[in-house]
Amino acid sequence: MPPEAPRPALGLPLSGVRVVELAHVAAGPFAGMLLADLGADVVKVEPPTGDQMRAWPPFARDEDGGAFSHNFASVNRNKRSITADLKDPDQLAEVRSLVAAADVVVENYRPGVLDRLGLGYDEVSAGHRGIVYASISGYGLGSPYVNDGAYDVVIQGMSGLMSVTGEPDGNPVKSGVPVGDFTAGLYAAYTIAAMLPQVRESGTSVRLDVPMLDCLIGVSALQTSEYWGSGREPERLGTAHPRNAPYQGFSAADGDLTIAAGNDKLWAAVAEVVGLPHLVHDPRFVTQGDRVEHQRELAGLLGEQLAQEKRAHWLTELRARGVPCGPVNTFGEALADPHVEATGLVARLDVPVAGETPTVVYPVRISGLAPRLERGAPGLGAHPEVVEEWAGEWSA
């Protein structure tokens, strides 16, 4: 049998895909960055004053008074930037020419704004060779709230997420990470990548309606199924779990840790480590259901023991017995963890004013491919040449 011919090396999956990003702040730019990380040529169209996130601290500053937002840099890697006043007919025509040459549009304007400018889906798709047009908004195009403004905290509240976040006796709490924005960005990028092959092959354009509210409810599968299955509202439990115990955070002598004893064997190991092996036979704690029913009492007993030694001691002992556990880190501690260095999660990129700056790279490892680190977040309007470049390639 003749030897098998060598297979061609793989490239980034979205190489050659052109994306126009008409988006600002978080959800749309995050979706655009994910596409750029996977190889797409993403052109960010900004107003002359720039994406409003450019004004968010913290800033890098130089001796000439220049400033660049680290927040902006965190969601705009691997893109190019042009500026356009969409109320100026000539500049609007340039943006339209970009869209005509694009494969994808990502936008998160309030519904109706781009339609009035002639950049809505109906006008853009008419006569187009096939485009994926993704609209990210608070509530989506079919919602009774379609004209209402939405920010992440509003969406977290309306989704039910805040009702299950926080301590049992406290008020609802917002997630510290803007999960409404970033979940919508993930869904948008995922669906764009999924639809592209069909659209490019068929020439049939498609609009993606990406409501932040629906996306956040979409990832709340355990809570919605709990409600439908039991007829009861899911409750706030702090760091505890409605179906497992001990499965929560605790305080050691010098810091916090989490323990996840998801079955009877792991529970027995926890009881042994903390010096309370007799609890395994306590009628309150024999089965998982027993432990959940009495988890406040159980947490109190374990907490008293865990507070007597330093966190590292408990983590060492628990890990030695195969119990899932970990420290409750600050972000500084998380970024300094040996795991981050071992997986290559953080790299450095040049950005305006700040120079070489750390960035969290695309976190999925693709065998044979390095994370794309072509450019840091762009300076405002730094790539005006892209209009002629795309127009020339498209006409050719």
Side-chain angles (χ1 to χ4, degrees), residues 179-190:
V179 289
D181 283 317
F182 286 93
T183 301
L186 277 168
Y187 269 112
Y190 174 75

Side-chain angles (χ1 to χ4, degrees), residues 7-168:
R7 298 181 181 182
L10 296 176
L12 288 168
L14 298 184
S15 293
V17 173
R18 293 172 169 178
V19 179
V20 172
E21 181 191 297
L22 292 159
H24 45 275
V25 187
F30 184 58
M33 185 177 74
L34 295 177
L35 300 174
D37 283 347
L38 291 174
D41 184 4
V42 178
V43 175
K44 185 178 183 70
V45 180
E46 304 183 63
T49 54
D51 182 333
Q52 43 189 293
M53 191 177 264
R54 289 184 182 273
W56 288 19
F59 299 107
R61 300 186 184 276
D62 62 21
E63 295 177 354
D64 300 323
F68 200 79
S69 166
H70 287 282
N71 272 184
F72 177 83
S74 71
V75 291
N76 287 286
R77 177 181 58 239
N78 287 324
K79 301 178 187 177
R80 297 193 278 180
S81 168
I82 67 166
T83 58
D85 179 355
L86 298 182
K87 295 180 181 179
D88 180 286
D90 293 335
Q91 295 181 50
L92 179 59
E94 288 188 343
V95 175
R96 285 177 173 165
S97 73
L98 277 178
V99 171
D103 302 291
V104 176
V105 168
V106 178
E107 65 93 3
N108 65 345
Y109 279 76
R110 189 173 292 200
V113 171
L114 292 183
D115 297 278
R116 292 192 290 273
L117 293 167
L119 289 170
Y121 173 72
D122 290 341
E123 188 157 347
V124 163
S125 61
H128 202 286
R129 70 191 187 287
I131 194 163
V132 180
Y133 189 105
S135 297
I136 303 172
S137 62
Y139 307 105
L141 304 175
S143 171
Y145 313 124
V146 61
N147 294 317
D148 292 354
Y151 280 90
D152 179 84
V153 66
V154 177
I155 298 302
Q156 287 197 38
M158 290 186 69
S159 72
L161 176 72
M162 287 173 60
S163 75
V164 295
T165 306
E167 293 301 322

Side-chain angles (χ1 to χ4, degrees), residues 103-292:
D103 302 291
V104 176
V105 168
V106 178
E107 65 93 3
N108 65 345
Y109 279 76
R110 189 173 292 200
V113 171
L114 292 183
D115 297 278
R116 292 192 290 273
L117 293 167
L119 289 170
Y121 173 72
D122 290 341
E123 188 157 347
V124 163
S125 61
H128 202 286
R129 70 191 187 287
I131 194 163
V132 180
Y133 189 105
S135 297
I136 303 172
S137 62
Y139 307 105
L141 304 175
S143 171
Y145 313 124
V146 61
N147 294 317
D148 292 354
Y151 280 90
D152 179 84
V153 66
V154 177
I155 298 302
Q156 287 197 38
M158 290 186 69
S159 72
L161 176 72
M162 287 173 60
S163 75
V164 295
T165 306
E167 293 301 322
D169 300 325
N171 293 324
V173 173
K174 178 180 75 70
S175 168
V177 174
V179 289
D181 283 317
F182 286 93
T183 301
L186 277 168
Y187 269 112
Y190 174 75
T191 312
I192 289 167
M195 291 304 304
L196 264 171
Q198 265 192 85
V199 170
R200 298 181 94 181
E201 182 178 350
S202 68
T204 301
S205 295
V206 65
R207 183 172 200 174
L208 308 182
D209 181 12
V210 188
M212 291 168 62
L213 179 56
D214 296 38
C215 291
L216 204 48
I217 294 174
V219 297
S220 304
L222 299 183
Q223 286 70 35
T224 55
S225 61
E226 181 181 346
Y227 174 72
W228 283 324
S230 70
R232 296 188 300 272
E233 294 284 1
E235 299 176 345
R236 287 188 297 281
L237 297 172
T239 62
H241 193 281
R243 285 168 287 281
N244 289 317
Y247 191 104
Q248 65 182 90
F250 294 95
S251 294
D254 62 342
D256 296 332
L257 71 155
T258 56
I259 298 173
N263 58 47
D264 292 341
K265 181 179 177 181
L266 294 172
W267 155 233
V270 171
E272 177 192 349
V273 166
V274 300
L276 300 173
H278 62 279
L279 291 184
V280 171
H281 306 292
D282 188 309
R284 296 171 296 173
F285 310 132
V286 173
T287 69
Q288 191 71 275
D290 295 332
R291 294 191 291 278
V292 169

